[in-house]
């Protein structure tokens, strides 16, 4: 049976993850399952993953369910009119499911053992993703690869990165078996944008001595193929509202009021909004940067959140709010950050869903990866081609490396939890960040990328650092179609 199944994939020229094959084999009728699977799979899928199988399986199940219920209904009563034309977000129930979140699962004490376990988990998880790439088949441990006289492949974690005078890159890497230096010529495929502590695959050949390897290709876990947007059935949308910075004297009250007015007596778009996702920096906080007190209007952290509560009361009741914290919020700065604590959330409207940073939530079944975006600061300071002018390019790097903040000891403080919650282990439909006070929407391999603007004008501190914000903008994504737009206030 396994053979027949594998043959099907070979005929289509598609690769398949071992896990996905096992799952198919566990079905009642694997060949029938495979037929249904292929008829629901995007053309051009290069590598079939477990995720693809589960996604198609759920589509098939939904269709079957719909077919069954519609059959039954016809016998009893005429079909109901479809709720689409003129339907508003308030006509639909909200469906929020938290898929991944550190909140309540934090165990780390920061011991040496914690660090070992943390990096071990990162290396295993991302290493397995890379191992599944056809090109990386036949990977060896570094200790064995070092002894090869011809082409070799291995999977490793990058210890450090430096540029050579000739414009090439020299990295030191390890995999638990050994450490080796790899020269990455500027012509090597995938060789740019290397950062410390990321997990990569290397294809290379021996250099002049056993302790140097010359890379020909560098592999990243990336997103194999293209994600199909798993749109919901209802004609609703989600708005992304970042970096409010309540308490700052640069908070834009007038623009916020304009936004609330539009939400309350709005047009077709505003009345389609069912969810408001808020990726951090809800308040300005206290003592976050030097001489911040000179730029504060509210000097008490609790009063800042009380003022936030007043602002959020203007949001129509049928809109469900999801809040995750940022580096200005009242929770530990080390990532993953747990959700805001009780003494803060009790000040805020009770229907809000509080999650950690980063976290993955399903809104009406649409998978949203929420990350404040502190990791963008590290990407920009370590990779020359990445800038604050286009932070979406840094988000693409995160998806490529399947990690939101790989570099330990940079600008982003990281807590070594048992598992690496900063890994992007499943491919989201929407990936949202804030932090850089910029706005934009884009798409990478089927994933909607959003940067969620801010509600703070340029502060004196930002002026000094040459940060020019694009505030008072609201990206909105239609959760049925995936279409994104930006509303300006
Ligand atoms: O971030 C506001 C802006 O400041 C945003 O564009 C990122 C930038 N920023 C914040 N921290 C740093 C560091 N450490 N280096 C460089 N740029 C930074 P906010 O989090 O609202 O203060
Ligand atoms: Fe901010
Ligand atoms: Zn921030």
């Amino acid at each position: 049976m396994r053979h027949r199944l594998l043959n099907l994939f070979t005929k289509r020229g598609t690769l398949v993850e071992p896990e996905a094959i096992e799952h198919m084999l566990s079905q009642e009728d694997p060949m029938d399952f495979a037929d249904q699977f292929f008829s629901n799979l995007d053309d051009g899928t290069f590598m079939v993953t477990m995720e693809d199988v589960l996604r198609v399986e759920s589509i098939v199940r939904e269709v079957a369910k719909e077919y069954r219920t519609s059959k039954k209904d016809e016998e009893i009563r005429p079909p109901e009119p479809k709720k689409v034309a003129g339907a508003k977000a308030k006509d639909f129930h909200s469906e929020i499911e938290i898929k991944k979140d550190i909140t309540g699962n934090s165990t780390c004490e920061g011991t040496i053992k914690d660090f070992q376990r943390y990096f071990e988990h990162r290396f295993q998880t991302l290493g397995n993703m890379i191992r599944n790439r056809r090109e990386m088949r036949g990977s060896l441990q570094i200790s064995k690869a070092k002894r090869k006289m011809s082409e070799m492949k291995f999977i490793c974690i990058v210890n450090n990165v430096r540029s050579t005078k000739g414009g090439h890159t020299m990295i030191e890497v390890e995999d638990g078996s050994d450490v080796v230096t790899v020269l990455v010529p500027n012509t090597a495929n995938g060789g740019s944008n290397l950062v410390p502590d990321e997990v990569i695959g290397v294809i290379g050949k021996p250099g002049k001595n056993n302790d140097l390897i010359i890379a020909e290709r560098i592999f990243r876990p990336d997103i194999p193929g293209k994600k199909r947007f798993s749109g919901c059935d209802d004609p609703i949308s989600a708005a992304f509202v970042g970096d409010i910075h309540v308490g700052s004297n640069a908070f834009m009250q007038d623009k916020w009021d304009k936004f609330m007015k539009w939400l309350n007596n709005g047009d077709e778009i505003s009345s389609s909004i069912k969810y408001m996702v808020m990726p951090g920096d809800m308040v300005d906080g206290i003592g976050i940067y030097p001489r911040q007190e000179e730029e504060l209007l509210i000097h008490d952290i609790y009063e800042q959140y009380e003022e936030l509560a007043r602002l959020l009361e203007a949001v129509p009741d049928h809109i469900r709010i999801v809040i995750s914290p940022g580096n200005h919020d009242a929770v530990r700065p080390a990532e993953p950050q747990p959700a805001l604590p009780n003494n803060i959330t009790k000040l805020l409207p009770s229907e809000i869903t509080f999650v950690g940073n980063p976290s993955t939530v399903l809104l009406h079944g649409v998978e949203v990866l929420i990350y404040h975006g502190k990791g963008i600061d590290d990407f920009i300071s370590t990779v020359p081609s990445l800038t604050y002018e286009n932070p979406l390019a840094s988000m693409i790097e995160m998806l490529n490396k399947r990690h939101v903040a790989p570099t330990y000891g940079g600008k982003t403080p990281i807590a070594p939890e048992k598992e690496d919650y900063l890994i992007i282990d499943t491919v989201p439909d929407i990936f949202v960040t804030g932090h850089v006070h910029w706005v934009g929407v884009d798409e990478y391999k089927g994933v909607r990328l959003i940067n969620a603007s801010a509600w703070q004008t340029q502060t004196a501190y930002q002026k000094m650092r040459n940060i020019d914000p694009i505030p008072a903008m609201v990206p909105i994504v239609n959760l049925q179609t995936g279409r994104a737009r930006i509303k300006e206030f």
Side-chain angles (χ1 to χ4, degrees):
M1 181 60 83
R2 182 185 302 271
H3 201 71
R4 272 175 64 203
L5 209 50
L6 283 169
N7 254 339
L8 268 183
F9 282 91
T10 315
K11 258 195 250 152
R12 284 181 52 108
T14 314
L15 299 171
V16 59
E17 267 184 11
E19 207 188 348
I21 280 285
E22 292 311 319
H23 186 75
M24 287 187 158
L25 284 169
S26 70
Q27 302 294 315
E28 217 168 72
D29 183 347
M31 292 312 278
D32 179 52
F33 183 87
D35 275 349
Q36 294 211 39
F37 173 75
F38 280 125
S39 61
N40 281 285
L41 188 69
D42 283 345
D43 286 334
T45 300
F46 166 65
M47 169 85 173
V48 171
T49 61
M50 185 64 180
E51 224 168 277
D52 292 322
V53 176
L54 293 177
R55 192 181 67 229
V56 170
E57 190 178 35
S58 76
I59 295 170
V60 171
R61 212 183 306 123
E62 281 307 308
V63 171
K65 201 165 71 193
E66 235 172 73
Y67 182 68
R68 278 198 301 274
T69 40
S70 66
K71 272 280 208 209
K72 220 181 334 162
D73 285 349
E74 266 167 25
E75 287 159 20
I76 321 167
R77 55 189 154 84
E80 259 182 89
K82 233 182 155 24
K83 273 197 252 165
V84 171
K88 298 206 165 79
K90 66 173 166 12
D91 301 333
F92 300 100
H93 291 293
S94 61
E95 290 170 40
I96 302 182
E97 190 192 320
I98 300 172
K99 186 170 172 186
K100 187 179 170 197
D101 183 357
I102 183 65
T103 309
N105 299 318
S106 174
T107 56
C108 104
E109 291 162 15
T111 62
I112 301 271
K113 213 156 162 231
D114 284 341
F115 282 93
Q116 279 167 351
R117 197 167 52 174
Y118 172 77
F119 280 108
E120 185 65 18
H121 178 264
R122 178 189 295 193
F123 182 58
Q124 288 307 332
T125 310
L126 296 176
N128 282 343
M129 284 188 203
I130 295 171
R131 216 178 313 274
N132 282 329
R133 301 286 299 265
R134 183 181 45 149
E135 296 90 335
M136 287 307 294
R137 211 170 283 161
S139 296
L140 300 171
Q141 290 198 313
I142 291 178
S143 56
K144 297 217 176 75
K146 256 180 165 178
R147 293 202 293 266
K148 279 199 72 169
M149 304 304 284
S150 54
E151 185 193 88
M152 85 263 306
K153 305 171 183 185
F154 54 90
I155 294 163
C156 55
I157 188 158
V158 177
N159 285 347
N160 57 57
V161 182
R162 62 185 179 84
S163 311
T164 68
K165 277 194 224 109
H168 307 293
T169 308
M170 196 74 97
I171 56 179
E172 186 196 88
V173 301
E174 68 171 275
D175 70 349
S177 79
D178 209 341
V179 183
V180 73
T181 303
V182 180
L183 173 69
V184 187
N186 53 19
T187 51
N189 189 330
S192 50
N193 303 0
L194 282 157
V195 303
D197 306 327
E198 70 167 309
V199 179
I200 56 171
V202 176
I203 300 182
K205 51 183 193 324
K208 285 202 182 71
N209 63 53
N210 276 351
D211 282 321
L212 183 74
I213 286 167
I214 318 282
E216 282 164 2
R217 271 187 99 158
I218 302 289
F219 270 95
R220 301 290 184 343
D222 205 2
I223 299 173
K226 186 171 179 210
K227 168 97 177 186
R228 187 163 50 182
F229 188 80
S230 42
C232 64
D233 293 337
D234 300 334
I236 54 166
S237 55
F240 297 86
V241 183
D243 293 81
I244 322 279
H245 287 269
V246 177
S248 158
N249 64 14
F251 167 64
M252 301 164 92
Q253 184 74 55
D254 52 335
K255 296 287 187 185
W256 181 267
D257 293 343
K258 224 172 133 190
F259 172 35
M260 287 303 118
K261 197 163 163 207
W262 176 77
L263 265 191
N264 279 282
N265 31 24
D267 49 23
E268 204 181 324
I269 298 172
S270 74
S271 56
S272 77
I273 296 174
K274 186 74 207 169
Y275 302 103
M276 197 158 118
V277 176
M278 309 185 79
D281 283 2
M282 296 295 97
V283 300
D284 210 47
I286 312 280
I288 308 288
Y289 59 86
R291 298 172 66 179
Q292 184 191 15
E293 61 282 2
E294 292 167 19
E295 300 188 77
L296 284 180
L297 208 61
I298 305 173
H299 291 262
D300 179 282
I301 187 80
Y302 295 104
E303 283 174 28
Q304 290 182 355
Y305 282 101
E306 277 161 5
E307 179 57 21
L308 174 68
R310 273 188 287 280
L311 297 179
L312 294 179
E313 266 155 26
V315 176
D317 287 343
H318 67 268
I319 297 183
R320 301 306 304 264
I321 299 175
V322 180
I323 291 182
S324 64
N327 52 313
H328 283 248
D329 284 295
V331 66
R332 80 165 186 205
E335 298 181 9
Q337 295 179 282
L340 289 168
N342 263 334
N343 60 348
I344 300 291
T345 59
K346 71 176 190 215
L347 306 172
L348 296 166
S350 59
E351 322 74 53
I352 297 177
T353 304
F354 295 95
V355 293
N357 170 45
S359 58
T360 304
V361 298
L362 298 170
L363 303 179
H364 253 76
V366 178
E367 185 165 331
V368 186
L369 169 60
I370 308 170
Y371 178 52
H372 177 60
K374 187 76 187 141
I376 298 172
D377 290 337
D378 285 298
F379 276 103
I380 290 173
S381 63
T382 48
V383 178
S385 65
L386 298 173
T387 66
Y388 284 104
E389 255 98 79
N390 180 17
L392 296 180
S394 293
M395 293 171 71
I396 292 175
E397 261 326 302
M398 292 176 183
L399 289 169
N400 189 21
K401 301 181 195 307
R402 299 290 286 264
H403 201 286
V404 297
T407 303
Y408 190 87
K411 291 169 190 275
T412 310
I414 294 172
E417 296 290 348
K418 213 166 43 232
E419 289 175 21
D420 186 355
Y421 279 80
L422 307 181
I423 287 175
I424 304 174
D425 46 8
T426 62
V427 179
D429 296 296
I430 301 174
F431 177 22
V432 60
T433 61
H435 185 57
V436 285
H437 299 201
W438 191 85
V439 74
V441 299
D442 200 352
E443 195 189 314
Y444 176 69
K445 298 196 172 180
V447 179
R448 270 63 180 169
L449 308 175
I450 311 273
N451 188 258
S453 186
W455 298 83
Q456 185 189 40
T457 52
Q458 193 185 44
T459 62
Y461 182 72
Q462 288 166 12
K463 197 178 166 87
M464 186 186 81
R465 301 192 76 133
N466 253 334
I467 291 159
D468 211 0
I470 313 178
M473 304 269 186
V474 180
I476 297 162
V477 178
N478 182 321
L479 297 181
Q480 197 175 31
T481 63
R483 185 165 166 214
R485 62 177 96 221
I486 297 173
K487 173 86 182 161
E488 188 177 340
F489 291 95

